[in-house]
Amino acid sequence: MYSYSQFDKDFVQTRVDQFRAQVERRIDGSLTEEEFRPLRLMNGLYLQLHAYMLRVAIPYGTLNSAKMRQLAMIADKFDKGYGHFTTRQNIQYNWPKLNEVPDILQALADVEMHAIQTSGNCVRNVTADHFAGAAADEIEDPRPTAELLRQWSTDHPEFAFLGRKFKIAITGSPNDRAVTKAHDIGLRMVRNDAGEPGFEVIVGGGLGRTPMIGKVLREFLPREDLLPYVESILQVYNILGRRDNKYKARIKITVHENGIERIRELVEERFVLQRAAFGEFNHALFNDIEAAFAPPPYISASTDAFDAAKSSDPAFRSFVDTNLSAHKNDEYAIVSISIKKQGDTPGDATSEQMRVMADLAEKFGHDELRISHEQNVILPHVHKSHLHEVYKTLQAVGLGTANIGLISDIIACPGMDYCALATARSIPVAQEIATRFDELKLEHEIGALKIKISGCINACGHHHVGHIGILGLDRAGVENYQITLGGDGTETAAIGERAGPGFSADELLPAIERLIYGYLEIRADEHETFLQTYQRLGAEPFKAALYPETKIAAE
Amino acid sequence: MARPFKPKVLTANRLIEGDVVYYAANGEWVSAHENAMFIEDEAEANDLLAQANAQSYLLVGPYLADAVLERGKPVPTHFREAFRTRGPSNYDHGKQAEA
């Protein structure tokens, strides 16, 4: 775990003190809302439908038990006893009071956390593969590079007022769990012919109003060149990007309008100057960062008890089948804790649950936790001999749901239950779908399926890359839901295709049921996933299942 | 041609708590939509909005929202405004808790 340097501490503390004074001046009337708004947004404080919302950064999704316990304390003392984990590996509090926000920020600073750059047209919290440092398929842990990017981007004066927000994601694995192709910049670690690790640089991806899959700007970039190269991209975007139209201001539009070749030319031109300006790569600094992410002191012990529990406890076996992933150490496993119990709000954890997860991390997980962009919590390093006890402890507080990657493991943005930008609700839709398929006991039979729901076109719920995407809209004053099919957020990223006319809130669940029953009928066998069937047969049979009346009319 | 004026309520969020509030006929800001002043005159609506904008020490983001009268009380016409009268649908953490 990276620990703050004195510089980091001083910087974060200064920002807390500044914001405390700004809040005081807002409350005593010296600042108008117009003057205060950009200041509060720089500190992650939004005003939503029913209350303020504070978005706290969890850099590259990594935290330890002390941080998680502090998040739980904040939920109890300043909020309503829970927090919401987001698709950008952040946590959001939905009910803070303005006059208490400086105290919350102080409590965060006390454990080396903050809410800086979680809003505004700046470089946002850098996200990373949530299995980083543990995954069996990983080339190298990408988090030292993510931390380097954090240090570089924090309060970078040239990029504090970009044309629009800017999101960077990074993965060290060929299997992309960080959705790098849907970010302004995606960094995928690859090896060159000499076997050295570097990055494939992807630019111009993004979802929202105009979804785009990112394009490869550089096939191989040595790590030593990363900061000058990324800075060159930002400089080109800062000058070339549009400021006349908010909806055309993201770098995806800049890339689309100018062409990837032109962008590459400009970036490479800039890069020559930037590399000279940056000078020698600071190996000592990077080695220090790398040391902070060194693998934990793994233990070695018999895993017989794990095998025995798997045979004797069927519920545990089900958990093992869905919620564990391969660790680079054979005796270990990566545990995904589902924050998606059927019927509950996706991504919401109570303070008690946070404390239990913190305790488990401390006792059995080398004190490490991760937040995934899929709104789940990860224990990245658990020895197999401890898994049964971890499972039973989770089960006791409603965290033992065995549904990772299944139909009820739904990404859902807060939607119009909280968000001021939303055009429809998403949480109740997720709750209904998850509850229904749990009742039907079909989840495991359906197998791997990603449903992603957004409550507006901004696509925080990543609906474009859901195997089934659901977009909530306002159609003439009524909530209406559009379905997209065949999206993919991995290394084979694809934007889902719109299936047809939208459905009312009442029609949506039956439509999803028809779609799933349709899939179960046409799949080649039980191993062919929804996405594979879609890729094999195309949209038509799925559309026929969704719109049976159209089929009859056509006949 | 100017479109006919649709009746409104004046709403905002409280500065400290962020709670949704409505302007009542007695000049106070209240939490229940049904106690909001039903504004049928466009000039009056704009005057009240201007006054609310001047109360930035108390309020954030005042605006006029469409409403109709039902059994003599103002009711929102759009689902977004209906949600604001009660709170989120996943927990009783909003105004539902007060009801």
Side-chain angles (χ1 to χ4, degrees), chain A residues 136-141 171-174 188-200 219-223 328:
Chain A
D137 62 351
E138 186 170 87
I139 296 172
E140 264 184 29
D141 189 340
T171 177
S173 296
R188 290 182 65 217
M189 201 179 283
V190 288
R191 286 189 195 279
N192 63 8
D193 295 340
E196 297 152 345
F199 291 99
E200 177 186 74
E219 284 180 7
F220 183 85
L221 181 75
R223 181 162 53 210
K328 60 173 76 167

Side-chain angles (χ1 to χ4, degrees), chain A residues 88 126-128 167-171 178-180 183 185-188:
Chain A
R88 296 218 71 255
V126 175
T127 52
K167 300 175 181 177
I168 303 176
I170 182 166
T171 177
V179 211
T180 57
H183 281 77
I185 293 180
L187 299 168
R188 290 182 65 217

Side-chain angles (χ1 to χ4, degrees), chain A residues 26-27 33 47 49-52 80 82 95 97-99 345 348 416-418 420 423 425 428 474 477 479, chain B residues 13-20 56-57 59-61 78-80 83-84 86-91 93-94:
Chain A
R26 175 69 182 94
I27 291 173
E33 182 60 20
L47 182 68
L49 278 191
H50 315 291
Y52 288 97
K80 293 185 190 281
Y82 76 105
W95 305 94
K97 292 187 173 60
L98 178 61
N99 56 340
T345 303
D348 277 11
M416 205 188 270
D417 284 307
Y418 297 90
T423 44
R425 287 175 295 178
D474 173 351
E479 286 170 295
Chain B
N13 293 71
R14 274 194 213 281
L15 173 63
I16 305 289
E17 298 84 2
D19 290 357
V20 174
S56 85
Y57 52 90
L59 304 168
V60 187
H78 192 276
F79 59 89
R80 185 182 196 269
F83 297 155
R84 286 181 81 244
R86 52 179 190 262
S89 50
N90 58 337
Y91 309 114
H93 279 169

Side-chain angles (χ1 to χ4, degrees), chain A residues 153-453:
Chain A
S153 63
T154 300
D155 217 25
H156 194 308
E158 192 176 342
F159 307 132
F161 297 95
L162 294 165
R164 199 75 180 85
K165 59 186 162 184
F166 203 92
K167 300 175 181 177
I168 303 176
I170 182 166
T171 177
S173 296
N175 294 302
D176 185 1
R177 290 172 290 262
V179 211
T180 57
K181 289 188 174 171
H183 281 77
D184 297 290
I185 293 180
L187 299 168
R188 290 182 65 217
M189 201 179 283
V190 288
R191 286 189 195 279
N192 63 8
D193 295 340
E196 297 152 345
F199 291 99
E200 177 186 74
V201 182
I202 300 158
V203 71
L207 301 176
R209 186 173 296 260
T210 318
M212 301 259 186
I213 298 298
K215 298 178 178 71
V216 176
L217 190 61
R218 234 320 173 110
E219 284 180 7
F220 183 85
L221 181 75
R223 181 162 53 210
E224 288 73 11
D225 290 339
L226 188 72
L227 290 187
Y229 195 80
V230 169
E231 185 149 315
S232 302
I233 298 173
L234 262 298
Q235 288 183 336
V236 167
Y237 164 61
N238 209 8
I239 292 166
L240 203 59
R242 288 177 60 171
R243 283 179 157 82
D244 62 318
N245 181 341
K246 185 183 170 185
Y247 303 123
K248 297 194 173 179
R250 295 287 288 269
I251 195 174
K252 62 188 172 186
I253 305 293
T254 318
V255 172
H256 181 70
E257 288 184 347
N258 293 276
I260 187 74
E261 292 77 17
R262 176 77 184 132
I263 299 290
R264 186 179 295 125
E265 210 175 283
L266 291 168
V267 168
E268 294 292 341
E269 214 171 84
R270 209 49 237 175
F271 174 55
V272 175
L273 304 172
Q274 284 306 114
R275 187 156 63 170
F278 267 72
E280 273 294 289
F281 183 73
N282 189 336
H283 286 278
L285 181 135
F286 190 76
N287 291 347
D288 281 351
I289 296 175
E290 226 173 10
F293 294 97
Y298 294 124
I299 59 164
S300 185
S302 163
T303 57
D304 292 349
F306 166 69
D307 297 321
K310 228 172 31 170
S311 349
S312 64
D313 180 348
F316 176 58
R317 189 161 60 241
S318 173
F319 181 84
V320 166
D321 287 345
T322 51
N323 294 37
L324 298 192
S325 303
H327 195 283
K328 60 173 76 167
N329 179 326
D330 282 348
E331 286 186 29
Y332 274 72
I334 301 170
V335 179
S336 292
I337 303 172
S338 170
I339 314 295
K340 311 286 181 65
K341 186 180 174 186
Q342 294 90 351
D344 286 0
T345 303
D348 277 11
T350 66
S351 56
E352 186 205 5
Q353 290 175 328
M354 290 183 213
R355 284 192 194 93
V356 168
M357 291 189 281
D359 292 347
L360 286 173
E362 192 173 35
K363 199 166 170 194
F364 299 117
H366 296 282
D367 207 25
E368 273 209 44
L369 294 139
R370 307 286 171 75
I371 309 305
S372 76
H373 80 270
E374 295 184 311
Q375 301 178 284
N376 292 312
V377 178
I378 316 293
L379 294 170
H381 311 289
V382 182
H383 190 269
K384 286 179 179 170
S385 62
H386 297 142
L387 283 170
H388 196 217
E389 189 169 347
V390 166
Y391 167 70
K392 286 188 290 184
T393 311
L394 290 170
Q395 184 72 348
V397 291
L399 290 173
T401 312
N403 67 344
I404 296 294
L406 302 181
I407 192 170
S408 60
D409 184 8
I410 298 172
I411 289 186
C413 73
M416 205 188 270
D417 284 307
Y418 297 90
C419 179
L421 301 174
T423 44
R425 287 175 295 178
S426 15
I427 291 169
V429 173
Q431 289 173 312
E432 274 181 25
I433 294 172
T435 305
R436 180 64 181 149
F437 285 94
D438 187 40
E439 283 164 5
L440 293 171
K441 297 291 161 221
L442 272 179
E443 251 195 311
H444 291 267
E445 195 184 329
I446 297 162
L449 175 60
K450 291 185 190 297
I451 296 187
K452 300 179 196 280
I453 309 171

